[in-house]
Amino acid sequence: MADISKHRQSLFCRDPQSVADYETAMKDAVKAVSHWLKNEKMYTGGSIKELRATIGGFNPSKDGLGIKKSLDHLVEIFLNPSLKVHHPHSLAHLHCPTMVTSQIAEVLINATNQSMDSWDQSPAGSIMEEHLIDWLRQKVGYGKGTSGVFTSGGTQSNLMGVLLARDWAVANNWKNADGSEWSVQRDGLPADALKKIKVVCSENAHFSVQKNMAMMGMGFQSVVTVPTNANAQMDIAELEKTLNQLKAEDKITACIVATAGTTDAGAIDDLKAIRKLADRHKAWLHVDAAWGGALLLSKDYRRLLDGIELTDSVTLDFHKHFFQTISCGAFLLKDPANYRFIDYKADYLNSEYDEQHGVPNLVSKSLQTTRRFDALKLWFTLEALGEDLYASMIDHGVKLTKQVEAYIHAAEGLEMLVLTQFAAVLFRVNPKGYPAQWLDALNQNVADELFARGEANIGVTKVGDKQSLKMTTLSPIATLEDVKALLDLVLAEADRIKDAIADGTYIPPID
């Protein structure tokens, strides 16, 4: 027979022992995290082989270890060897240090376990999310309203953008026998739509454009990429040429995806110019502002987003330059009527009766059903810190980028590959007189070596055909002195391994 008292104790509930155990375990967990934060090393896990050996495998026992022993084990195999994203040398990705407010909000989110798919599963959260969406819409320039929803991040938000754009284009270009608009939701794609409908983006757009179109059954063939200019922005002349060519081929441009903050260069496309071309070709304009959307709060760089108010939909990520814990993103839709393409009535979630009586209906705006109340993190941060401090933290990274660029230009053995625009630095090690054929391997392995030793996390990507190192300088606590120290490590490591790479005796740490 089941021991209900043990069930109660194990469950997060009002049982006195459960409450006591929760408080004790949470204190132990917070203490472990605090101890981990005090360790100045960025990463202590070692190579992939070493980390695999540390973790071992997953072997739960019949009777269990108990919370205390299991927590101690997790501290050893997970917490201690985890990457410290707040470390000033952790600059590889759009992987931000997080606000204290976001950490606190996570406790409330996890404890309450609200589900945003119906009002009666998240009464306060549903109303609060609508207020925050309204605030974000006004920041973008869409005006007041609740047409938008929090998402898991940029890939999901971009999926919503291209999905709605495709079905909007079908409704505009295909009709039923009675003259009404074709509904993809009801009848599927028209027979010739698969080959006729295209989505256009720059060659530097996020990979989720292709990925999402493939998931929608349109295939990679439906995405047409446009070359970029010297600043890694979508080339407007090439875009116009591409759109005209598609029209000449009797194709339909359903959507142009602009980017505000490309993953590597941080480039922001010319939104006003793209809007003019989108209007001329009757195309939806979606902007992937997963990174650059942070400039909505900027005091010094908001102008870089001029034209964002002219778009049809926007992707925002708050777990990037807004410094929120993963995951936290949003999708904003200018015209709420376009939500009709994904709306579905389920009596157990969003009945017409509830809607008629003003009950919040968030599930009809989302691709997810069960969904966390991640909006609380952004709400708490904005309310606690205020817009001015937030703006200062966002702008710091952009200003730091310019300082770093100037330093690299003056440094011997380092080379800038793209002029900085937002908060990304694309550069490489290029020792004087070093054979060009080994430069790519040298840069790749400098990054791998520094990570394996826990000294630095530097990104590795391609700029044209050149292997590039990347620093994403969005951290609000990183300084120029921190970056100089990191670059000293880069140069020293390059000097240590460059001869072995050239003579073929070098063994990469990843092996």
Tab-separated table of all heavy atoms in Angstrom, residues 14 17 19 67 71 143 185 223 240 247 261 332 351 399 467 474 480:
chain	number	residue	atom	x	y	z
A	14	ARG	N	1.863	21.754	0.847
A	14	ARG	CA	1.708	22.398	2.151
A	14	ARG	C	2.067	21.484	3.316
A	14	ARG	O	2.012	21.899	4.474
A	14	ARG	CB	0.263	22.908	2.293
A	14	ARG	CG	0.069	23.968	3.380
A	14	ARG	CD	-1.304	24.595	3.270
A	14	ARG	NE	-2.366	23.640	3.474
A	14	ARG	CZ	-2.896	23.344	4.670
A	14	ARG	NH1	-2.427	23.907	5.753
A	14	ARG	NH2	-3.889	22.486	4.756
A	17	GLN	N	6.545	18.789	6.575
A	17	GLN	CA	7.869	18.237	6.317
A	17	GLN	C	8.361	18.619	4.930
A	17	GLN	O	9.548	18.892	4.723
A	17	GLN	CB	7.848	16.715	6.463
A	17	GLN	CG	9.240	16.087	6.465
A	17	GLN	CD	10.113	16.611	7.602
A	17	GLN	OE1	9.707	16.588	8.764
A	17	GLN	NE2	11.294	17.104	7.259
A	19	VAL	N	7.597	21.393	3.335
A	19	VAL	CA	7.999	22.797	3.416
A	19	VAL	C	9.383	22.914	4.060
A	19	VAL	O	10.259	23.650	3.588
A	19	VAL	CB	6.960	23.620	4.204
A	19	VAL	CG1	7.462	25.038	4.449
A	19	VAL	CG2	5.631	23.648	3.461
A	67	ILE	N	17.685	13.583	-1.060
A	67	ILE	CA	17.924	14.898	-1.649
A	67	ILE	C	19.338	15.384	-1.363
A	67	ILE	O	20.029	15.892	-2.258
A	67	ILE	CB	16.875	15.914	-1.144
A	67	ILE	CG1	15.503	15.572	-1.731
A	67	ILE	CG2	17.276	17.339	-1.514
A	67	ILE	CD1	14.380	16.448	-1.229
A	71	LEU	N	21.944	16.015	-4.308
A	71	LEU	CA	22.331	17.396	-4.577
A	71	LEU	C	23.854	17.541	-4.548
A	71	LEU	O	24.443	18.205	-5.416
A	71	LEU	CB	21.689	18.340	-3.557
A	71	LEU	CG	22.044	19.832	-3.701
A	71	LEU	CD1	21.661	20.354	-5.077
A	71	LEU	CD2	21.354	20.659	-2.611
A	143	GLY	N	2.008	50.561	-31.280
A	143	GLY	CA	0.840	51.106	-30.598
A	143	GLY	C	0.299	50.135	-29.563
A	143	GLY	O	0.768	49.001	-29.424
A	185	GLN	N	-5.004	26.707	-43.025
A	185	GLN	CA	-5.346	26.010	-41.795
A	185	GLN	C	-6.446	24.976	-42.035
A	185	GLN	O	-6.404	23.880	-41.502
A	185	GLN	CB	-5.789	27.030	-40.738
A	185	GLN	CG	-6.040	26.416	-39.355
A	185	GLN	CD	-6.558	27.442	-38.369
A	185	GLN	OE1	-7.473	28.197	-38.678
A	185	GLN	NE2	-5.979	27.463	-37.176
A	223	VAL	N	13.512	29.195	-49.590
A	223	VAL	CA	14.240	30.334	-49.041
A	223	VAL	C	15.265	30.831	-50.061
A	223	VAL	O	16.098	30.064	-50.546
A	223	VAL	CB	14.960	29.952	-47.733
A	223	VAL	CG1	15.719	31.156	-47.165
A	223	VAL	CG2	13.959	29.423	-46.716
A	240	GLU	N	16.534	44.183	-54.208
A	240	GLU	CA	15.616	44.629	-55.264
A	240	GLU	C	15.758	43.749	-56.500
A	240	GLU	O	14.764	43.347	-57.121
A	240	GLU	CB	15.903	46.090	-55.610
A	240	GLU	CG	14.940	46.656	-56.640
A	240	GLU	CD	15.110	48.147	-56.840
A	240	GLU	OE1	16.176	48.695	-56.469
A	240	GLU	OE2	14.183	48.785	-57.386
A	247	LYS	N	9.667	37.850	-59.243
A	247	LYS	CA	8.422	38.272	-59.892
A	247	LYS	C	8.418	37.868	-61.365
A	247	LYS	O	7.399	37.389	-61.889
A	247	LYS	CB	8.246	39.784	-59.762
A	247	LYS	CG	6.927	40.297	-60.301
A	247	LYS	CD	6.784	41.791	-60.058
A	247	LYS	CE	5.440	42.296	-60.583
A	247	LYS	NZ	5.297	43.771	-60.350
A	261	GLY	N	20.660	42.599	-35.913
A	261	GLY	CA	21.654	41.955	-35.059
A	261	GLY	C	21.962	40.559	-35.547
A	261	GLY	O	21.487	39.578	-34.979
A	332	LEU	N	5.910	39.620	-31.560
A	332	LEU	CA	4.928	40.703	-31.638
A	332	LEU	C	4.348	40.754	-33.041
A	332	LEU	O	5.079	40.649	-34.032
A	332	LEU	CB	5.570	42.054	-31.300
A	332	LEU	CG	6.273	42.173	-29.944
A	332	LEU	CD1	6.848	43.574	-29.768
A	332	LEU	CD2	5.324	41.839	-28.802
A	351	SER	N	-12.678	28.891	-24.849
A	351	SER	CA	-14.019	28.822	-25.436
A	351	SER	C	-14.496	30.203	-25.885
A	351	SER	O	-14.018	31.239	-25.401
A	351	SER	CB	-15.012	28.255	-24.411
A	351	SER	OG	-15.202	29.182	-23.353
A	399	LYS	N	29.511	50.190	-26.594
A	399	LYS	CA	30.651	51.102	-26.448
A	399	LYS	C	31.956	50.332	-26.272
A	399	LYS	O	33.002	50.725	-26.810
A	399	LYS	CB	30.407	52.038	-25.268
A	399	LYS	CG	29.247	53.003	-25.502
A	399	LYS	CD	28.887	53.783	-24.248
A	399	LYS	CE	27.692	54.687	-24.515
A	399	LYS	NZ	27.232	55.397	-23.292
A	467	GLN	N	38.815	31.559	-41.321
A	467	GLN	CA	38.436	31.152	-39.972
A	467	GLN	C	38.582	32.367	-39.067
A	467	GLN	O	39.628	32.993	-39.008
A	467	GLN	CB	39.335	30.029	-39.471
A	467	GLN	CG	38.809	29.298	-38.260
A	467	GLN	CD	37.738	28.285	-38.631
A	467	GLN	OE1	37.896	27.546	-39.588
A	467	GLN	NE2	36.653	28.274	-37.902
A	474	LEU	N	28.669	41.677	-25.077
A	474	LEU	CA	27.426	42.214	-24.516
A	474	LEU	C	27.445	42.299	-22.994
A	474	LEU	O	26.563	42.901	-22.389
A	474	LEU	CB	26.217	41.405	-24.984
A	474	LEU	CG	26.178	39.884	-24.800
A	474	LEU	CD1	25.954	39.481	-23.370
A	474	LEU	CD2	25.087	39.293	-25.683
A	480	LEU	N	37.446	46.981	-20.890
A	480	LEU	CA	38.502	46.911	-21.899
A	480	LEU	C	39.718	46.186	-21.339
A	480	LEU	O	40.379	45.422	-22.052
A	480	LEU	CB	38.886	48.314	-22.363
A	480	LEU	CG	39.988	48.388	-23.423
A	480	LEU	CD1	39.597	47.624	-24.678
A	480	LEU	CD2	40.325	49.840	-23.755
